Amino acid sequence: MAGKGHWWRNAVVYQIYLRSFQDSNGDGIGDLKGVIERLPYLQELGIDVIWLSPMFQSPMDDNGYDISDYYRVDSVFGQDEDMDRLIKEAKEYGIRIILDLVINHCSDEHEWFRRAVRDEGCEEAGYFYFKRTEDGKEPNNWRSNFGGSVWSQLPDGRWYYHTFSPKQPDLNWENPRLRREVYKIINWWLGKGIAGFRVDAITFIKKDLSFASVETLDGERYPVENFENYPGIDDFLAELKRETFDKHDCFTVAEAPGVGNEDFKKYTGEDGFFSMIFDFSWESMEGEADKSSVDAIERLKKRILDNQQFMSRNGWCGIFLENHDQARCLNRYLEKADRGYHSASALATLYFFLYGTPYIYEGQEIGMVNAVWNSVDELADTRAKITWKERLEQGEDEKGLLEYFNHWGRDNARTPMQWNDGKNAGFTDGKPWLKVQDGYREVNVERQREDPGSLLSYYKKLIALRRDEALADIMGNGGFYPMPEAGQGIIAYRRASDGKEILVIVNLLNRENALNQENLAEAHPDGKTIDELFSEGILLNNYMGIEINSKKLVLRPYQALVIMEH
Ligand code: NOJ
């Protein structure tokens, strides 16, 4: 699936968290008509694909990642026809749509689960994992991804299994009828003309069926080795691919935690299960005491370069700085004093030309940052609520917890899109479901749109370059060549194909830095001098011009360059 020559290797994907993107009817919740209204913006931005977060019918315990009817659009997002219209109109703008495919679990309000609860002996009872225990206690000590046990109890005493919240019962993939139902859903949507799927939490679909308790792990009882990428999953994934994706030659990107290097090829290699999987190794500097220090940057550099080298030989991946499950990237990668146009554009340049397909999360292109959460009542995320309760019970204090969620909470990424400096940042005429981030008067689309020096304008240039015909072969098929010796605090790499190459150089320090001739020579064995190199063609630069001083390329704080070589 991941072979060379596929269109999606040269695509730029934009993630829309529907609830927070654009409200069209004043109920305070983003909707499909809102996305349709904003198609001209997305076209102007230059992206190819929208990844739309779940818009299916749902009680919204986890904002749509708990689906009660896979064939219907939830009424808060619009009508079924709005989805057809979006697919059609997006196509007219040259934009494809991929949907979020949530098939590890559904909602406890799905008809299947309801029937299974009513009647222990019915067909659908086999679609889930139910257990009874003699001592009336949970069947094992496995911990759920959102906190608490993976088991919740029904009034009749049965326990059911959920990797995430108790309102998200896991589907039993061992059951062939269930699998057929899932394939029917997928093929139905593909028949509607969508381009493919972002596949949610797919590595959880196979469990260790002994369901044996485990020795306490990390004090947390979260036994990934019993339910993440568990042996036997290959059969499920191969069948899934054969019965659905292959029939439509569609584009799939999987959220696949737990897939190590040894399995990477199986997942995204030439005949892998998916077109690509997200690269989660490209993590933030979470927990780093000083994110701007040379040491922290050198550690990040090693992770990126090593991982890219590996992936470029074994498959294809989706690369991102942000998504709806993480705090904003400017908060995660940068100290507050360092956040600004240059640092944001440097981070963007750094990931955009790596080996893989780049994803942009809504608002990232204008530099949105985390909100300030003053109390737990302002938080909406179901995971935050479960964790809050659990940690309070364990004795943590509210102040510390609030601090934690201010840094890492998922709500940070979910505040409404900042379109302008008017009421609710132009997101809604009503009361927004989640508060608007305070900085919207300065950070918004309208303000940046006409300003050639804005982050938004830089992202447009970046996207145009990543999709440029002249670079298509390098970006889609070219190898990845790290330049670990480029200098302390500098992350540099080359991408090359058929004698053509680009060079990406990013100074991640908030001070002047130098890439000197020796460093370049080590990293760039064809012996070019700095002058030769830079006379060839600077494709992108987040500063005006460059400075070469006594054979040294002087890099300004957070300067980023993309250079074409022939
Ligand atoms: C991963 C999704 O990205 C996240 O938002 C969700 O809560 C879980 N999967 C459960 O579906």
Side-chain angles (χ1 to χ4, degrees), residues 62 65 105 146 164 168 198 200 255 324-325 410 414:
D62 190 15
Y65 284 92
H105 47 272
F146 282 1
F164 298 94
Q168 294 166 298
R198 176 265 186 185
D200 187 71
E255 185 196 36
H324 64 291
D325 289 332
R410 304 199 297 181
R414 301 174 180 184

Side-chain angles (χ1 to χ4, degrees), residues 181-242:
E181 287 289 344
V182 171
Y183 305 153
K184 209 167 96 191
I185 294 163
I186 298 173
N187 288 322
W188 189 81
W189 278 107
L190 286 169
K192 279 187 172 282
I194 58 161
F197 297 99
R198 176 265 186 185
V199 189
D200 187 71
I202 197 63
T203 35
F204 295 109
I205 61 172
K206 176 80 189 175
K207 284 97 172 132
D208 168 2
L209 297 175
S210 78
F211 291 109
S213 277
V214 286
E215 292 295 311
T216 306
L217 284 171
D218 312 332
E220 292 263 56
R221 301 184 297 147
Y222 183 68
V224 282
E225 63 274 34
N226 295 69
F227 57 53
E228 216 179 76
N229 194 24
Y230 190 75
I233 194 172
D234 294 9
D235 295 338
F236 292 159
L237 295 179
E239 185 184 271
L240 166 67
K241 173 173 180 273
R242 199 172 58 239

Side-chain angles (χ1 to χ4, degrees), residues 51-120:
W51 151 20
L52 193 65
S53 62
M55 76 306 153
F56 312 94
Q57 187 181 297
S58 162
M60 303 290 165
D61 175 60
D62 190 15
N63 292 350
Y65 284 92
D66 47 321
I67 298 172
S68 53
D69 189 338
Y70 287 89
Y71 294 99
R72 303 297 305 272
V73 165
D74 195 278
S75 58
V76 302
F77 296 137
Q79 308 294 314
D80 295 344
E81 300 75 61
D82 296 333
M83 193 59 220
D84 297 331
R85 225 184 100 205
L86 174 60
I87 298 170
K88 185 168 156 283
E89 295 199 18
K91 197 166 174 200
E92 287 161 12
Y93 279 92
I95 296 173
R96 310 183 207 226
I97 308 273
I98 63 169
L99 297 184
D100 220 310
L101 185 62
V102 188
I103 49 178
N104 170 68
H105 47 272
C106 62
S107 162
D108 65 343
E109 296 183 35
H110 192 290
E111 196 45 40
W112 295 335
F113 194 74
R114 289 199 157 142
R115 266 185 233 149
V117 170
R118 279 197 304 268
D119 175 5
E120 196 168 349

Side-chain angles (χ1 to χ4, degrees), residues 122-134:
C122 75
E123 186 71 48
E124 289 80 1
Y127 289 8
F128 301 92
Y129 295 99
F130 288 108
K131 293 240 177 272
R132 285 187 183 278
T133 55
E134 281 179 5

Side-chain angles (χ1 to χ4, degrees), residues 164-175:
F164 298 94
S165 101
K167 286 192 66 66
Q168 294 166 298
D170 277 37
L171 293 166
N172 180 356
W173 274 70
E174 308 290 335
N175 183 315

Side-chain angles (χ1 to χ4, degrees), residues 30 451 539:
D451 173 4
L539 300 178

